[in-house]
Amino acid sequence: MTADFDTIVNLSKRRGFVFQSSEIYGGIRSAYDYGPLGAALLRNVKEAWWRSMVQQRGDVVGIDSAIIQARKVWQASGHEATFTDPLVECQNCHTRHRLDKLENPEQCPTCGKSGTFTEPKHFNLMFRTHTGPVESDDNMVYLRPETAQGIFINYENVRRTNRLQLPFGIAQVGKSFRNEITPGQFVFRTREFDQMEMEYFCRPEEAPKWFDYWRGERFNWYLDLGMKEENLRIRDHEQDELSHYSVQTVDIDYAFPWGWDELEGLANRTDYDLRAHSEASGQDLRYYDAVADERFFPYVIEPAAGATRATFAFLMDAYHSEEVAGDTRVVLKLDPRLAPYQVAVLPLSKKPELLGPATELADRLRKDFMLELDVTQSIGRRYRRQDEIGTPYAITYDFESLDDSAVTVRDRDTMAQDRVSLDRLTDYLSQRL
Ligand code: ATP
């Protein structure tokens, strides 16, 4: 059985994946804090992305740019003028909605009345603040609404210092901020979130080829990390849906409980951004091709994914419940690369003669694996607890271990148990994780 929305939200709170932010003060709407398990999962999602997009490729480098950038960046990129959503207010119940996300643009989803909306206003999604002690127009800045512009403004620095030749990519993972009109659906849409973006610079005539290439790569990334294919699809944007900078966009969608919704967007941003920053800054950001002796603006293919949103989707997708001997067993079948803990060490009893060596074993394995030492309650309950948070291997240290220097290793998915000698244990786990 797969999970419904409430089940995942409850599991997240109960087990410490995700908490309501500022909860002790009554909570702040649509802001979430990641607890120990959620932080580990989120971090693993970001690391898996970095590994496949940067580490394992010779043509992509990574950067980490500032969240607060010059206002001119957002004027040049077009965000100050056009990064808006159409906002309507219901004159009956005074709730505000994003017009383009309404199922029926005539009817208020809160009170059900029709024909009560105001004319749409274009609401800019960027958060504003000021640098320095005086608030004035001169020191007004935005928190970045995407990580991409940090890449474009560093394009020439990165290209030159790393001697990069087309085609090449620059990747970045980090926080973005959008003052969303209607955040919601747990961590799916929040005002502060993590993005994983890569700008792939290429010759203009090669852009369609690279677009197709990245569409395949990105779709396969989710599959490779265990997401079920039937829960994923690729959707082409209609012409009137395209962002101001894009000539072609597809979304990678996930089958969320409320229907298909976006996990990641893939856009052909053309030379829009480099050209705009060249014009606004006066710096020549064209690429010089020494062989052909020509200068031109590269085109850009951008896979833009949400890390927090993907984390939520991985959690939903991994949820599995089954009947085992008249009992319900809940398992998060997370890929071992994503699971918050890779290994649990469970001493059969809390008696010092077992707890001592089990703790030593845990300390030794911690050097190589993310691990939890779990000592309370019966062994069966502890197995279930580890299943529920997706720990791939649970190691039981029992009284026999004292004599045979071996432990029982239980596989989360098959529940099969192997007796493994302590001196082979690291190898055994490394081969499987
Ligand atoms: P939408 O139309 O749903 O508002 P978008 O198409 O503007 O989103 P992009 O600008 O393409 O989104 O952002 C790239 C990715 O960043 C999205 O696919 C999503 O995974 C993530 N993302 C965007 N906005 C949010 C948000 N408010 N909360 C969480 N993740 C987000």
Side-chain angles (χ1 to χ4, degrees), residues 137-425:
D137 261 4
D138 294 339
N139 64 11
M140 200 269 275
V141 289
Y142 296 111
L143 301 188
R144 67 179 180 202
E146 60 172 31
T147 60
Q149 294 305 322
I151 295 174
F152 294 124
I153 59 175
N154 282 294
Y155 163 81
E156 188 54 18
N157 279 340
V158 175
R159 188 201 61 73
R160 190 170 33 81
T161 52
N162 292 270
R163 305 178 313 281
L164 300 172
Q165 294 191 341
L166 293 182
F168 66 87
I170 305 177
Q172 163 152 244
V173 173
K175 290 260 185 191
S176 291
F177 302 82
R178 296 182 190 178
N179 199 359
E180 298 277 2
I181 298 168
T182 42
Q185 281 132 338
F186 198 41
V187 296
F188 176 82
R189 187 183 302 284
T190 47
R191 296 196 168 109
E192 173 183 343
F193 53 95
D194 280 293
Q195 285 191 310
M196 312 184 283
E197 297 192 297
M198 196 272 287
E199 309 303 321
Y200 198 74
F201 300 92
C202 63
R203 298 188 66 89
E205 64 275 18
E206 291 184 353
K209 176 183 91 180
W210 289 113
F211 187 91
D212 291 344
Y213 169 81
W214 283 110
R215 179 172 43 203
E217 286 292 295
R218 294 305 309 146
F219 192 78
N220 287 336
W221 184 77
Y222 294 98
L223 291 182
D224 176 57
L225 287 170
M227 227 176 239
K228 298 183 193 87
E229 191 161 3
E230 69 263 26
N231 289 338
L232 286 166
R233 73 162 191 194
I234 291 184
R235 184 184 73 87
D236 288 298
H237 274 217
E238 304 291 335
Q239 211 56 33
D240 63 356
E241 240 186 301
L242 295 173
S243 317
H244 61 274
Y245 49 73
S246 174
V247 290
Q248 188 183 5
T249 300
V250 294
D251 288 344
I252 299 177
D253 286 348
Y254 183 76
F256 285 99
W258 56 91
W260 291 104
D261 219 333
E262 177 179 337
L263 267 185
E264 167 160 355
L266 179 77
N268 176 351
R269 287 181 86 125
T270 69
D271 58 4
Y272 180 90
D273 301 272
L274 286 183
R275 197 180 272 280
H277 286 304
S278 259
E279 279 164 19
S281 68
Q283 308 255 331
D284 187 357
L285 299 179
R286 285 177 304 168
Y287 179 85
Y288 178 63
D289 182 334
V291 179
D293 188 27
E294 55 172 348
R295 268 178 214 284
F296 59 91
F297 286 108
Y299 266 38
V300 178
I301 305 302
E302 174 196 72
T308 38
R309 196 177 279 189
T311 297
F312 180 40
F314 278 118
L315 205 54
M316 297 246 26
D317 207 74
Y319 185 93
H320 175 81
S321 92
E322 62 191 17
E323 293 298 311
V324 178
D327 215 15
T328 305
R329 179 172 97 106
V330 170
V331 197
L332 280 189
K333 294 195 169 184
L334 286 168
D335 185 284
R337 290 167 290 180
L338 299 183
Y341 292 117
Q342 298 171 294
V343 177
V345 172
L346 319 174
L348 190 65
S349 128
K350 269 196 264 190
K351 293 212 172 94
E353 66 253 48
L354 286 195
L355 190 55
T359 307
E360 265 172 43
L361 173 65
D363 287 341
R364 174 159 73 78
L365 293 175
R366 268 201 186 97
K367 295 193 174 73
D368 297 304
F369 307 103
M370 189 72 183
L371 175 148
E372 185 177 52
L373 176 68
D374 192 355
V375 297
T376 55
Q377 296 188 315
S378 76
I379 198 75
R381 282 211 125 118
R382 280 183 272 164
Y383 281 152
R384 292 285 185 270
R385 203 152 63 208
Q386 294 300 331
D387 289 343
E388 200 189 34
I389 61 170
T391 311
Y393 292 100
I395 297 171
T396 305
Y397 195 97
D398 53 28
F399 289 100
E400 254 180 81
S401 305
L402 296 171
D403 297 326
D404 68 358
S405 292
V407 285
T408 301
V409 182
R410 173 183 177 274
D411 180 295
R412 172 195 74 194
D413 297 335
T414 62
M415 294 188 281
Q417 304 196 354
D418 259 352
R419 194 77 184 164
V420 181
S421 76
L422 287 173
D423 53 7
R424 279 206 312 120
L425 191 56

